[in-house]
Amino acid sequence: MNYSNSYLKEVAAKKILYNEYEKSIAWQCPSNIALIKYWGKRGNQIPLNPSISFTLNESVTNTRVVYHYDQNRIKYQLEYYFEHKRNEKFENRISLYLESLQGYLPFINGLNLTIHSENSFPHSAGIASSASSFGALALCLVSIEEELTGAGESEKEFKNKASFLARLGSGSACRSIFGNLVEWGKSNFIADSSDEIAIQIINKNNNVFNDFQDIILIIDETGKPVSSSKGHALMIDNPYKRDRLRQAKSNLSRLLNSIDNNDLHSFTEIVENEALSLHALMLASNPGFFLIKQATIEVIERIRKFRQDTNIPVAFTLDAGANVHVLFPLSFINQVLPFVKSQLVQYCSHGKFIHDWIGEGPLKLM
Ligand code: PMV
């Protein structure tokens, strides 16, 4: 049975304990950076290929949901505040999201919800915040379900549910529910992997990947000219689609091997290949588009030259935008940070960058 069916079966067996109930709940959820990129989807947020990410530590969304449940309410009510201001654009998106979850959360129509959300990173930094925001909201929704039904889940089941619900808001959000190294999408190389929820990959070796750093260079602070949803949709007719699926599968198994073997050389090669392939797929879409800027290319060239000159294992990756993520093991911080400040910050918008690192995953607040 797939995850969605077992969720629905469980929902049918659950009863709401109260006629009326009032409380608030808050979660912090981090963003994540993909090493193997998810690009292209089918059906209801099912990825065309499996992906792997590092969960970040410092780039987080904090979400508090104040809710009042009344069994006689026939339609949920929602107010959404982003960084202390009512935000109608986000409110409409969240409203559509709540509509789409009614089958899984049948109590939703009985709720009056006031949602307060804020990010630790600057709003207009060009950093995708949908992973951390849908992650935080999904965690709050599973907490509300638990509260109203009195049914305590195991931590594993709680997170699986949150990952499932987060995915329906934004695909990559399902990975943010877990810490460290996370995989999403059915893969022959990972037992229990699923297209519907993410899973944490246990990195058995106490190796360099456990303390990886990510310096995010804010190259462009303006919004994306083409949204991720549009980009995913353009993959369906991309002439390189089949080759991309083959490439992602092979890169995924090679990346897992490089992590197992502490092999920074092949890690760098694969991660950079994924970043450039993602943007090549955008160029090859019809209509083609590009999200990188001239500064993105200059920064990439400087990173590669620095690596060649010093032998320090610094890798870059990109998400769906112009910003560059500089990845390296903590042990090289004293060499890499001065390099970033002296050679790369000049390409950043207003000199902005965020120093982040691999993190443990979400945190319940209060
Ligand atoms: O989750 P979405 O729909 O915002 O798509 C994310 C796509 C990439 O960031 C480019 C890759 C990924 O796997 O996170």
Side-chain angles (χ1 to χ4, degrees):
M1 191 170 1
N2 62 24
Y3 193 84
S4 161
N5 288 345
S6 65
Y7 196 150
L8 290 172
K9 205 168 151 200
E10 196 199 300
V11 165
K14 274 189 181 161
K15 296 262 173 304
I16 303 295
L17 302 177
Y18 311 95
N19 299 335
E20 252 195 283
Y21 192 84
E22 195 165 26
K23 209 169 170 178
S24 78
I25 179 79
W27 277 92
Q28 175 174 95
C29 185
S31 187
N32 68 77
I33 177 67
L35 305 170
I36 303 293
K37 309 291 180 183
Y38 143 60
W39 199 238
K41 58 183 170 183
R42 59 187 170 83
N44 196 4
Q45 304 271 86
I46 298 298
L48 288 185
N49 64 273
S51 56
I52 291 191
S53 56
F54 275 149
T55 295
L56 297 176
N57 196 70
E58 298 292 283
S59 305
V60 299
T61 296
N62 291 325
T63 297
R64 174 175 302 278
V65 181
V66 183
Y67 64 96
H68 175 261
Y69 174 78
D70 182 346
Q71 65 165 1
N72 295 320
R73 190 174 280 118
I74 41 178
K75 179 80 185 159
Y76 66 83
Q77 286 167 322
L78 170 68
E79 280 184 23
Y80 191 91
Y81 293 82
F82 181 67
E83 297 186 339
H84 312 292
K85 283 201 202 83
R86 183 99 179 247
N87 186 315
E88 283 187 18
K89 189 172 149 223
F90 290 170
E91 194 168 293
N92 292 339
R93 185 161 177 203
I94 297 304
S95 189
L96 287 175
Y97 175 58
L98 295 177
E99 293 278 345
S100 75
L101 297 184
Q102 286 190 27
Y104 303 106
L105 306 172
F107 55 85
I108 253 177
N109 276 329
L111 290 176
N112 181 338
L113 301 145
T114 308
I115 302 178
H116 299 271
S117 199
E118 54 194 46
N119 295 337
S120 64
F121 42 92
H123 172 43
S124 60
I127 297 192
S129 60
S130 58
S132 52
S133 7
F134 278 105
L137 181 56
L139 287 156
C140 289
L141 292 171
V142 182
S143 284
I144 295 173
E145 182 201 70
E146 213 176 55
E147 199 69 47
L148 291 178
T149 59
E153 318 270 1
S154 68
E155 193 189 330
K156 183 168 182 280
E157 193 40 41
F158 184 96
K159 289 201 164 165
N160 284 349
K161 275 188 169 179
S163 179
F164 176 83
L165 297 180
R167 187 195 99 239
L168 298 174
S170 164
S172 58
C174 72
R175 297 188 308 242
S176 276
I177 303 298
F178 302 94
N180 305 313
L181 198 59
V182 183
E183 193 270 356
W184 165 43
K186 191 81 200 128
S187 161
N188 294 338
F189 304 110
I190 299 183
D192 298 333
S193 58
S194 157
D195 283 339
E196 294 180 288
I197 55 174
I199 54 165
Q200 187 174 24
I201 299 173
I202 304 300
N203 180 5
K204 294 180 209 84
N205 307 333
N206 190 14
N207 64 18
V208 288
F209 297 101
N210 290 334
D211 62 18
F212 242 65
Q213 306 289 294
D214 178 7
I215 296 182
I216 310 167
L217 305 171
I218 312 299
I219 307 277
D220 185 29
E221 303 189 64
T222 57
K224 294 185 244 177
V226 177
S227 68
S228 286
S229 339
K230 192 95 190 282
H232 287 297
L234 287 170
M235 263 314 278
I236 297 299
D237 294 322
N238 190 301
Y240 299 106
K241 183 167 113 180
R242 278 180 57 183
D243 289 331
R244 166 58 190 155
L245 302 188
R246 248 199 305 270
Q247 178 199 36
K249 277 182 196 158
S250 140
N251 276 349
L252 184 133
S253 82
R254 291 176 60 224
L255 187 86
L256 292 173
N257 279 336
S258 69
I259 292 175
D260 271 351
N261 299 326
N262 246 345
D263 182 347
L264 283 162
H265 180 75
S266 71
F267 175 87
T268 300
E269 184 229 305
I270 298 158
V271 165
E272 294 190 352
N273 178 247
E274 277 292 306
L276 296 179
S277 298
L278 169 70
H279 287 264
L281 290 164
M282 294 175 192
L283 291 170
S285 295
N286 190 6
F289 63 101
F290 49 92
L291 303 178
I292 50 174
K293 302 273 181 204
Q294 201 175 331
T296 313
I297 296 171
E298 308 241 0
V299 162
I300 289 175
E301 280 174 347
R302 284 189 178 240
I303 292 171
R304 286 187 157 174
K305 177 151 192 333
F306 174 76
R307 187 168 68 229
Q308 203 171 29
D309 292 348
T310 61
N311 245 335
I312 291 174
V314 188
F316 70 83
T317 190
L318 308 165
D319 60 14
N323 298 335
V324 180
H325 291 245
V326 186
L327 304 172
F328 56 97
L330 177 62
S331 55
F332 293 102
I333 186 82
N334 292 333
Q335 289 89 346
V336 178
L337 204 51
F339 158 66
V340 167
K341 286 183 180 163
S342 66
Q343 289 203 44
L344 304 184
V345 159
Q346 57 185 300
Y347 296 102
C348 297
S349 171
H350 302 105
K352 280 188 203 163
F353 68 91
I354 297 170
H355 184 178
D356 213 326
W357 52 88
I358 193 164
E360 298 289 311
L363 198 68
K364 192 170 183 183
L365 303 173
M366 281 189 299

